[in-house]
Amino acid sequence: MAQKSKRYAALVEKIQDKGPLGVPQAVELLKQLDGTKFDQTVEIHIRLGVDAQQADQIIRGSLVLPNGIGRTQRVVVFAKGDLAKAAEDAGADEVGQEDLAKKIQDGWTEFDVCIATPDMMGIVGPLGKVLGPRGLMPSPRAGTVTPDVEKVIAEYKAGKVEFRNDTGGNVHAVVGRMSFEAQQLSENIQAFIKHIQGLKPQTLKGTYVRGISICSTMSPGIQIAA
């Protein structure tokens, strides 16, 4: 196990016996742990009682957070003709077809979101081995396979986040930056939790949300009352 720094150990001591907390209280405590020279990312981690092996219990989707995530996401789009022009006009960082596919196949993944129009999936499909493990593969369920490229690009530029449970049934997402006002972070976190709660599978038996925590890039997790 990796050795924890004295700074990290001190932060753990600060939060022990402090949870679970309501969202506003957890955010206030998290902001008290800030002591770095850079603007840390704030993340949420939710432990779910789903069976990740069951297709009907996969928790996957996306939503636009009320206050964005504090940075502009880099978006690439597979499109041609008028839709390619629309993607460029909407602010896509790169638009292409076979040329873009080759660039990605050769190892380029310096982007945060990959969008494709339906007629481009024949080109995008073979990229699954590269994009899939990085969570970048376009998907109809996530809204990244669409003819409405302008709308989707605008959403991601505004702070849309994607999520999918891992093999342990956990969901992870960025919900802002430490520089956000406490109310902004609270609104983002509450919106994300509400969205996840609304995705409870009908076939699930037992407890759905088993644990929620928030943390920054360099802080321990703070438990939130589920």
Side-chain angles (χ1 to χ4, degrees):
M1 182 179 291
Q3 183 71 29
K4 301 295 184 182
S5 68
K6 290 182 179 180
R7 173 190 172 279
Y8 191 91
L11 295 181
V12 170
E13 191 171 333
K14 269 189 176 183
I15 68 169
Q16 63 184 3
D17 303 324
K18 293 286 188 180
L21 302 172
V23 171
Q25 293 75 27
V27 168
E28 290 291 351
L29 179 57
L30 180 67
K31 289 182 75 66
Q32 291 174 25
L33 305 183
D34 193 14
T36 60
K37 295 181 180 179
F38 67 97
D39 192 7
Q40 298 182 65
T41 297
V42 177
E43 303 170 355
I44 187 168
H45 305 275
I46 303 180
R47 184 165 63 92
L48 301 174
V50 298
D51 181 351
Q53 303 302 314
Q54 302 299 317
D56 60 356
Q57 291 191 25
I58 292 175
I59 304 301
R60 180 178 185 176
S62 60
L63 79 158
V64 179
L65 295 174
N67 302 295
I69 59 172
R71 65 180 176 85
T72 301
Q73 300 194 81
R74 299 162 296 178
V75 179
V76 300
V77 179
F78 283 90
K80 62 182 178 181
D82 291 342
L83 291 180
K85 178 64 165 57
E88 292 172 355
D89 292 344
D93 296 273
E94 187 149 350
V95 181
Q97 300 170 46
E98 289 87 352
D99 55 335
L100 180 55
K102 184 178 186 308
K103 187 175 180 179
I104 293 172
Q105 195 71 62
D106 290 342
W108 181 73
T109 55
E110 294 178 14
F111 51 90
D112 304 298
V113 181
C114 182
I115 298 168
T117 57
D119 60 341
M120 288 285 101
M121 289 309 293
I123 294 173
V124 177
L127 300 175
K129 290 182 180 180
V130 178
L131 298 178
R134 295 172 173 80
L136 296 171
M137 188 66 182
S139 160
R141 190 168 177 179
T144 46
V145 176
T146 175
D148 196 354
V149 291
E150 293 173 283
K151 176 186 175 183
V152 177
I153 291 169
E155 288 176 342
Y156 278 100
K157 291 291 185 179
K160 189 175 187 177
V161 295
E162 288 186 48
F163 57 85
R164 176 173 178 160
N165 63 267
D166 61 20
T167 55
N170 305 295
V171 170
H172 316 275
V174 172
V175 289
R177 298 272 179 166
M178 287 290 269
S179 59
F180 280 24
E181 295 293 330
Q183 182 176 345
Q184 292 178 309
L185 281 174
S186 293
E187 289 172 352
N188 280 0
I189 292 165
Q190 288 166 336
F192 191 84
I193 293 172
K194 182 178 180 181
H195 189 75
I196 294 296
Q197 289 173 330
L199 297 177
K200 181 180 178 180
Q202 294 184 349
T203 57
L204 179 68
K205 296 180 180 179
T207 304
Y208 176 46
V209 177
R210 294 186 173 180
I212 306 173
S213 67
I214 58 171
C215 67
S216 65
T217 306
M218 299 184 69
S219 83
I222 297 172
Q223 288 188 323
I224 289 177

